[in-house]
Amino acid sequence: MDYSIEPRPIFRKISRIMSAPALHIISEWITNHVAVDDSERDSLRRIRDLLATATEPFSRGHYVPGHLTASGIVLNAERTYALMIFHTKLQRWLQPGGHFEPGECDPSVAAAREVLEETGIKTRWPGPKPVLLDVDVHSIPARKSEPEHGHFDLRMLLIAEPGELCANEVAEARWCAPHEFAALNLDPGTIRALKKCGMESRPFSIYIPK
């Protein structure tokens, strides 16, 4: 089944013109990001390619090869726990996150909104500026009217404000200590991001602002 609708050239051109400022914002994040392993370097390359070629990279309807998403690696204020959600459709533990809404182009805004919607937790930046902590491209299996496609995920570091957890749109949300991560069977990209925060054994040595 062909899920894609190829826009006529004039509309494809208009779409790129309208998204140009948004693409500039994402391009700045990507240009300044430093990958720490081969998997992340490959994801970074694929995101650059998406930005250079996709007609609507922010749209969840852009299936080939996929579209941008934003998620939050959320730590408590003391940076001793990470916020995780159990994704109902994928049936696994992940960091909160999801699609850009129409008109959104800043991953720090999209990630914070997704965290709030899924967990009820408000967040802030870890310092004076937002931090793109990690990038990861992964495959989402086909379901119903959606074909298999890629999520080109921009993972922002966020610090939680005080508040009660309230799982919404997800099966469960919980604060997890580093010793609990192994039991959650987290994917390698999530473990990599947590290591960058010093939340795993043998963390990557990168600067995370306080």
Side-chain angles (χ1 to χ4, degrees):
M1 182 180 295
D2 183 5
Y3 296 88
S4 62
I5 300 176
E6 179 65 22
R8 285 182 290 174
I10 178 103
F11 293 118
R12 185 165 61 241
K13 181 178 180 181
I14 289 172
S15 175
R16 290 293 293 184
I17 291 172
M18 291 177 66
S19 63
L23 293 175
H24 178 70
I25 291 174
I26 302 295
S27 294
E28 281 196 74
W29 289 108
I30 296 304
T31 298
N32 295 323
H33 186 72
V34 178
V36 298
D37 62 18
D38 288 343
S39 177
E40 192 180 15
R41 277 186 283 274
D42 183 62
S43 291
L44 196 60
R45 176 191 59 78
R46 293 175 66 184
I47 291 173
R48 289 193 183 107
D49 290 346
L50 181 78
L51 295 177
T53 60
T55 55
E56 295 183 283
F58 295 96
S59 171
R60 65 185 302 166
H62 192 281
Y63 294 125
V64 181
H67 45 260
L68 294 167
T69 55
S71 62
I73 301 297
V74 184
L75 308 183
N76 63 331
E78 295 75 23
R79 306 190 184 209
T80 52
Y81 289 86
L83 182 57
M84 294 291 161
I85 57 106
F86 190 77
H87 196 286
T88 306
K89 293 178 180 177
L90 297 178
Q91 287 293 291
R92 69 178 309 167
W93 287 96
L94 302 167
Q95 74 278 9
H99 296 96
F100 284 80
E101 292 290 342
E104 282 184 334
C105 57
D106 187 331
S108 67
V109 172
R113 175 188 50 75
E114 286 286 340
V115 172
L116 180 61
E117 290 176 355
E118 294 182 342
T119 71
I121 295 295
K122 295 181 179 180
T123 56
R124 60 177 174 83
W125 299 339
K129 296 181 180 180
V131 173
L132 176 62
L133 181 68
D134 191 83
V135 298
D136 188 77
V137 179
H138 49 272
S139 180
I140 300 299
R143 60 175 183 265
K144 295 184 180 178
S145 61
E146 294 186 354
E148 181 179 359
H149 61 280
H151 274 185
F152 292 64
D153 200 33
L154 306 171
R155 298 175 169 182
M156 308 303 297
L157 177 60
L158 299 171
I159 305 300
E161 300 283 13
E164 293 285 333
L165 274 179
C166 181
N168 184 35
E169 302 177 354
V170 297
E172 187 178 350
R174 58 186 271 202
W175 289 106
C176 301
H179 71 268
E180 300 176 274
F181 295 160
L184 299 181
N185 193 29
L186 300 175
D187 71 83
T190 300
I191 291 293
R192 180 183 63 230
L194 291 167
K195 282 184 176 182
K196 292 180 182 182
C197 305
M199 293 291 288
E200 256 284 352
S201 59
R202 293 174 296 177
F204 290 109
S205 179
I206 68 170
Y207 170 69
I208 300 297
K210 295 288 185 179

